[in-house]
């Protein structure tokens, strides 16, 4: 530390004035301590509740299904039948060389043990479910449903018990040539739960490590990186406690997927806000003698942009409340809580810590009072200069590139099947693949039909006579409802089976006075696809409207908000198109999760606009000081380009952590958002928005006061004072 720094630190402590009044310096020191004390108390109160969030996280099918779909009603009603909820399972025995008599005897013994340990739906006491051999004699299939499985913990325990105690070491190992696997919807759900149980801690640790490494590289300080990381950790703790409170108070649905996304969002967005604030604070430390004054100026300078940024993300997420998909609907308030907590921590706790720790925190690159900012030719200076010299060429080239990437959407794979939702193949998927190879033209996954008991006979005859249905089994009755299991001739989730579901629903409108519903795993997947398409039509226009309103209020313009919104929508389309080019050919994903377009749109538009807000707010700030728009845009890019690039890299990296989870949904969402953020950071904001500002000039601010001042030949500074 140099002598100039020591002088600055001593000068920051004024001599106490005579009299009893507390000096201004004492008050300045008291405010940060008070803020930190409040946060310590708040975190102490929040910690016990944050730890309970996983206990109230729900991952039942109805927590993800469309709220108004037939399959959701079926799931609710089935849980109220005698025996409670059911879990459909498949016990699969396979030997490549053909099953032996000993294999068949082992299969019968294992089925008897399952029937002895659990109550089977649709089976009389002592009766065993039917075991079906394949035509080639290599595979045996036993389909059954366990009752009393309404609670996912009970279901998971049953799946693990059958695998560990009944199947034992024969599950999938093929030591003597025989493989025995447990599959079916219940087993797939249990495998998903196992992934999410370990995902929370893995995600938190992985995200923290990624953020820490990037902060160290950004700040090049042995200590400074730790402060934003601690603050974002405090924000995550507070958010988890608040979400737990919302679950208890309002019965909010918190799924494992939503809490995982919230964690990534807090670390990504919170670190972005920290980067912007610390960068501005470093600038102000060169202009102000006291750290408190420098922080006040920094908050005044970048606070509106950060508030607008977080408000945009929160508003975009809350638009998801109009979605009918339960999992998407619940993501709105859960994600918004995370963003608000990140904002609160970065605008209160982080400034308090930075002020108390003073300039020494930046060692070895300490910003001395009165020193000039280091002038160096940066990448963003070069990029801004090229956009300033040839704005038409740059804008046209960028638009053509984004348009070319958008064409990749035509190569997007079809809808993702349930068995393809894992990036690493669990036992349930392996069992399903074995069944499909052994029984290629039949469905092992029943459709659940619920009928009013008064019309059960008519409904059963209608189901049996429906084209595409090959077998119907009567199930339980209770509460005025009767359950049937209908088997389609086509493979699960195939186009043929979907057509059968549509025919069934159409035919079951016929019996007079009867109310019949079609559900089950395949019907749930079909309802998810159709509901997600409807949700896109409702949510996307609402998100665009919310973003535009916030941008207009911040920038006092109509043109600049439209430019920013069109730019981020283009980057979303390009990122999704790039996904279409790599998901199946490169990464081997067999389909696209139907929720990906909507969720990535909300995140990329809301988060992408953030960087536009940071850039355009600084451009407006420079314009208000009397600078022409063309020059102000280049100055804004030079001064904010580096920090926004760092923020974009951090945000992209945190969402990439999602891709490490062995779920295709998480991998696709993480990769699309990461690519979209990078496109927006290094292409859209840097080149396209800057070149648009060069071409539009004062029209960028139409019809605000900056535009009117420019039309009168003024600078706009006088109008700014009036604003």
């Amino acid at each position: 530390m140099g002598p100039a720094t020591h002088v600055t630190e001593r000068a920051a402590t004024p001599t106490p004035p005579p009299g009893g009044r507390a000096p201004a310096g004492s008050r300045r020191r008291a405010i940060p301590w008070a803020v930190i004390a409040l946060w310590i108390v708040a975190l102490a109160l929040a910690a016990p509740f944050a730890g309970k969030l996983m206990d109230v996280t729900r991952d039942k099918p109805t927590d993800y299904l469309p709220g108004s779909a037939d399959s959701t009603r079926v799931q609710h009603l089935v849980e109220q039948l005698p025996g409670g909820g059911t879990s459909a399972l498949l016990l699969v025995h396979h030997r490549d060389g053909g099953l032996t008599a000993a294999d068949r005897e082992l299969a019968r013994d294992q089925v008897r043990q399952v029937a002895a340990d659990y109550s089977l739906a649709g089976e009389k006491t002592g009766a065993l479910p039917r075991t079906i051999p394949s035509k080639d004699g290599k595979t045996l299939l036993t389909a059954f449903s366990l009752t009393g499985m309404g609670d996912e913990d009970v279901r998971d325990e049953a799946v693990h018990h059958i695998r560990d105690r009944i199947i034992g070491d024969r599950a999938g190992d093929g030591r003597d040539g025989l493989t025995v696997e447990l599959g079916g919807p219940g087993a797939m759900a249990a495998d998903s739960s196992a992934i999410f149980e370990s995902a929370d801690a893995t995600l938190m640790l992985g995200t923290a490590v990624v953020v820490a490494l990037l902060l160290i590289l950004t700040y090049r300080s042995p200590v400074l990186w730790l402060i934003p990381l601690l603050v974002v950790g405090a924000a995550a703790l507070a958010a988890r406690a608040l979400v737990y409170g919302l679950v208890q108070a309002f019965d909010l649905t918190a799924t494992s997927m939503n809490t995982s996304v919230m964690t990534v969002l807090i670390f990504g967005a919170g670190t972005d806000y920290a980067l912007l604030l610390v960068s501005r604070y470093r600038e102000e430390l060169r202009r102000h003698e006291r750290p408190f004054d420098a922080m006040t100026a920094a908050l005044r300078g970048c606070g509106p942009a950060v508030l607008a940024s977080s408000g945009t993300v929160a508003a975009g997420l809350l638009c998801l409340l109009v979605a009918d998909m339960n999992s998407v609907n619940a993501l709105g308030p859960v994600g918004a809580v995370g963003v608000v907590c990140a904002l609160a921590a970065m605008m209160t706790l982080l400034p308090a810590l930075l002020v108390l720790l003073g300039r020494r925190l930046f060692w070895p690159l300490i910003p001395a009072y009165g020193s000039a900012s280091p002038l160096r030719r940066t990448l963003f200076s070069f990029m801004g200069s090229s956009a300033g010299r040839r704005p038409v060429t740059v804008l046209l080239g960028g638009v053509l590139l984004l348009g070319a990437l958008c064409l990749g959407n035509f190569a997007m794979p079809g809808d993702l099947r349930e068995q393809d939702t894992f990036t690493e193949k669990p036992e349930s998927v392996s069992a399903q693949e074995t069944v499909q190879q052994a029984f290629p033209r039949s469905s092992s996954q029943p459709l659940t039909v619920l009928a009013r008991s008064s019309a059960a006979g008519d409904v059963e005859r209608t189901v049996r006579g429906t084209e595409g249905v090959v077998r119907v089994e009567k199930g339980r009755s209770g509460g005025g409802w009767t359950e049937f299991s209908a088997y389609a001739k086509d493979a699960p989730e195939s186009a043929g089976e979907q057509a059968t579901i549509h025919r069934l629903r159409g035919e079951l409108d016929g019996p007079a006075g009867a109310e019949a519903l079609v559900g089950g795993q395949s019907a749930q997947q079909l309802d998810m696809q159709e509901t997600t398409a409807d949700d896109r039509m409702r949510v996307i226009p609402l998100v665009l409207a919310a973003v535009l309103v916030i941008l207009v209020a911040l920038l006092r313009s109509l043109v600049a908000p439209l430019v920013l919104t069109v730019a981020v929508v283009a980057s979303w389309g390009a990122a999704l198109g790039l996904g279409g080019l790599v998901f199946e050919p490169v990464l081997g994903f067999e389909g696209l999760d139907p929720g990906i377009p909507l969720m990535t749109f909300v995140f990329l538009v809301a988060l992408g606009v953030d960087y536009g807000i940071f850039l355009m707010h600084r451009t407006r700030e420079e314009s208000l000081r009397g600078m022409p728009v063309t020059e102000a845009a280049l100055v804004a890019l030079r001064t904010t380009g580096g920090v926004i690039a760092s923020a974009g890299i951090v945000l992209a990296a945190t969402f990439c952590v999602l891709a490490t989870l062995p779920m295709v949904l998480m991998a696709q969402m993480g990769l699309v958002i990461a690519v979209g953020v990078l496109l927006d950071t290094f292409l859209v904001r840097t080149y396209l928005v800057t070149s648009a500002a060069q071409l539009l000039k004062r029209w960028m601010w139409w019809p605000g006061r900056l535009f009117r001042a420019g039309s009168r030949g003024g600078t706009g500074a006088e109008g700014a004072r009036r604003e």
Side-chain angles (χ1 to χ4, degrees):
M1 188 180 305
T5 306
H6 286 290
V7 172
T8 300
E9 292 295 336
R10 286 196 298 270
T13 306
T15 303
R21 291 184 62 190
S26 298
R27 290 196 299 272
R28 291 189 184 99
R29 286 191 295 271
I31 292 174
W33 281 115
V35 171
I36 292 172
L38 287 174
W39 268 97
I40 290 174
V41 172
L43 293 176
L45 294 173
F49 300 105
K52 295 179 181 179
L53 179 59
M54 289 302 296
D55 297 335
V56 298
T57 299
R58 300 183 298 189
D59 291 298
K60 293 170 63 177
T62 50
D63 298 321
Y64 288 85
L65 291 175
S68 61
D70 281 4
S71 59
T72 309
R73 293 186 61 196
V74 168
Q75 188 68 30
H76 282 297
L77 290 169
V78 162
E79 294 174 2
Q80 298 170 17
L81 292 175
T86 62
S87 183
L89 298 172
L90 303 175
L91 186 59
V92 184
H93 296 74
H94 176 81
R95 185 186 291 275
D96 287 336
L99 294 165
T100 65
D103 295 337
R104 295 185 176 87
E105 182 60 32
L106 174 66
R108 284 192 291 271
D109 289 342
Q110 291 177 340
V111 172
R112 288 193 194 99
Q113 188 62 52
V114 171
D117 291 350
Y118 298 97
S119 174
L120 306 184
E123 304 294 341
K124 297 180 180 179
T125 303
L128 299 179
R130 185 171 61 163
T131 296
I132 304 173
S134 62
K135 290 182 179 180
D136 59 10
K138 297 179 180 180
T139 306
L140 287 176
L141 169 63
T142 307
F144 55 92
S145 293
L146 307 183
T147 62
M149 299 290 128
D151 183 88
E152 57 260 37
D153 291 335
V154 175
R155 175 205 63 204
D156 295 348
E157 183 180 348
V159 170
H160 295 317
H161 173 79
I162 294 173
R163 284 174 173 170
D164 297 339
R165 301 294 180 85
I166 298 178
I167 296 177
D169 59 6
R170 291 181 178 273
D173 62 3
R175 289 179 197 170
D176 61 354
L178 176 69
T179 60
V180 186
E181 297 170 314
L182 187 67
M188 283 190 185
D191 290 336
S192 296
S193 296
I195 290 172
F196 279 120
E197 280 178 7
S198 60
D200 197 56
T202 303
L203 195 64
M204 183 78 76
L205 179 61
T207 308
V209 170
V210 167
V211 170
L213 290 174
L214 291 172
L215 286 175
I216 291 172
L217 293 174
T218 300
Y219 290 138
R220 291 171 290 171
S221 168
V223 179
L224 178 57
W225 65 272
L226 186 59
I227 306 304
L229 191 61
L230 289 174
V231 174
V232 81
L237 183 67
R240 294 176 70 84
L242 282 175
V243 171
Y244 174 80
L246 291 175
V247 170
Q248 298 290 56
F250 302 104
D251 197 30
L252 177 72
T253 301
T255 66
S256 297
M257 182 196 76
N258 292 344
T259 55
S260 297
V261 172
M262 182 187 73
T263 298
V264 170
L265 188 60
I266 292 171
F267 273 84
T271 306
D272 279 4
Y273 304 152
L275 287 168
L276 189 69
L277 177 64
V278 172
S279 175
R280 189 60 178 263
Y281 177 53
R282 191 198 298 263
E283 276 186 53
E284 299 298 339
L285 281 173
R286 301 181 188 278
R287 303 186 184 118
H288 297 271
E289 187 176 2
R290 296 183 178 88
F292 185 92
D293 296 334
M295 181 56 71
T296 302
L299 287 171
R300 188 179 296 116
C302 70
V306 174
L307 285 170
S309 168
S310 58
T312 302
V313 178
L317 287 168
L318 289 176
C319 290
L320 292 174
L321 286 170
V322 304
D324 194 32
M325 278 289 295
N326 286 338
S327 56
V328 176
N329 180 290
L331 179 58
V334 172
V337 166
V339 172
V340 171
C341 287
L343 171 70
M346 294 306 164
M347 292 290 103
T348 58
L349 181 57
L350 179 62
L353 291 171
L354 292 175
V355 168
L356 286 179
L357 294 171
R359 300 173 189 272
R360 295 183 180 88
L361 186 62
F362 289 90
W363 184 86
L365 304 174
I366 299 175
Y369 171 55
S371 63
S373 298
L375 297 175
R376 57 182 182 272
R377 181 71 171 171
T378 65
L379 172 64
F380 292 96
S381 298
F382 169 77
M383 297 169 91
S385 299
S386 61
R389 288 194 304 270
R390 302 180 184 86
V392 175
T393 303
V394 169
L395 185 61
L396 184 60
V399 169
L400 289 175
L401 175 60
L402 291 177
L405 290 175
C406 287
L407 294 176
N409 284 283
F410 294 104
M412 197 69 73
D415 289 318
L416 191 70
R417 297 179 302 171
E418 179 71 14
Q419 71 183 65
D420 297 324
T421 57
F422 305 92
T423 58
E424 298 174 3
K425 188 185 298 182
E427 181 181 328
S428 57
V429 172
S430 177
Q432 187 69 33
E433 291 178 350
T434 301
V435 169
Q436 289 179 353
Q437 291 173 1
F439 306 91
R441 295 187 178 181
S442 63
S443 176
S444 57
Q445 189 167 282
L447 302 172
T448 301
V449 180
L450 281 184
R452 292 288 186 185
S453 297
S454 58
D458 290 338
V459 170
E460 183 177 4
R461 284 189 291 273
T462 300
V463 173
R464 291 185 184 277
T466 300
E467 181 185 353
V469 176
V470 295
R471 189 169 89 251
V472 180
E473 297 175 358
K474 188 174 182 180
R476 301 168 292 170
S477 294
W481 292 91
T482 298
E483 178 187 25
F484 297 95
S485 294
Y487 291 85
K489 69 176 182 180
D490 298 291
E493 299 180 46
S494 63
E497 190 194 44
Q498 290 181 350
T500 299
I501 294 171
H502 284 300
R503 280 194 295 270
L504 263 177
R505 287 175 169 171
E507 293 287 341
L508 290 175
D509 285 337
E515 183 180 355
L517 304 169
V518 179
Q521 189 72 27
S522 295
Q524 290 171 6
Q525 291 297 112
L526 178 61
D527 288 339
M528 285 183 182
Q529 295 168 15
E530 295 178 348
T531 303
T532 301
D534 293 338
D535 285 345
R536 286 199 296 268
M537 300 300 293
R538 287 196 297 268
V539 174
I540 287 179
L542 194 58
V543 171
L544 291 175
V547 167
L548 279 171
V549 168
I550 293 174
L551 288 176
V552 168
L554 176 71
L555 300 177
R556 316 289 207 279
S557 164
L558 290 178
V559 175
L562 285 172
V563 169
L564 292 178
T565 304
V566 170
V568 293
V569 170
S571 65
W572 165 72
L576 202 59
L578 189 61
L581 297 175
V582 302
F583 282 160
E584 189 170 17
V586 179
L587 301 177
F589 298 156
E590 297 295 330
L592 180 75
D593 188 279
I596 288 297
L598 177 59
M599 287 191 288
T600 55
F601 177 86
V602 172
F603 279 107
L604 277 179
V605 169
L607 293 171
V609 164
D610 280 6
Y611 303 129
I613 288 175
F614 298 154
L615 179 68
M616 293 307 297
H617 184 266
R618 188 59 181 261
T619 302
R620 187 172 188 275
E621 192 177 337
E622 298 297 337
S623 297
L624 293 173
R625 292 172 180 166
M627 197 175 290
V629 176
T630 52
E631 186 178 344
L634 298 180
V635 170
L637 184 59
R638 284 197 297 269
T639 54
T640 65
V643 66
I644 296 178
S646 299
I649 292 171
V650 167
L651 189 63
T654 54
F655 272 96
C656 277
V657 177
L658 279 179
T660 64
L661 299 180
M663 300 287 290
V664 171
L665 166 64
M666 295 299 196
Q668 290 179 338
M669 182 163 61
L671 291 174
V672 170
I673 294 176
V675 169
V677 167
L678 293 177
L679 281 174
D680 186 77
T681 301
F682 293 101
L683 173 63
V684 174
R685 177 189 53 78
T686 304
Y687 278 121
L688 303 192
V689 173
T690 302
S691 59
Q694 299 296 307
L695 293 172
L696 291 170
K697 297 182 174 61
R698 65 183 180 86
W699 284 92
M700 197 74 165
W701 305 119
W702 183 87
R705 289 181 177 175
L706 278 173
F707 168 78
R708 296 196 300 272
S711 66
R712 294 192 298 267
T715 63
E718 183 179 348
R721 295 191 197 98
R722 292 196 297 270
E723 288 187 56

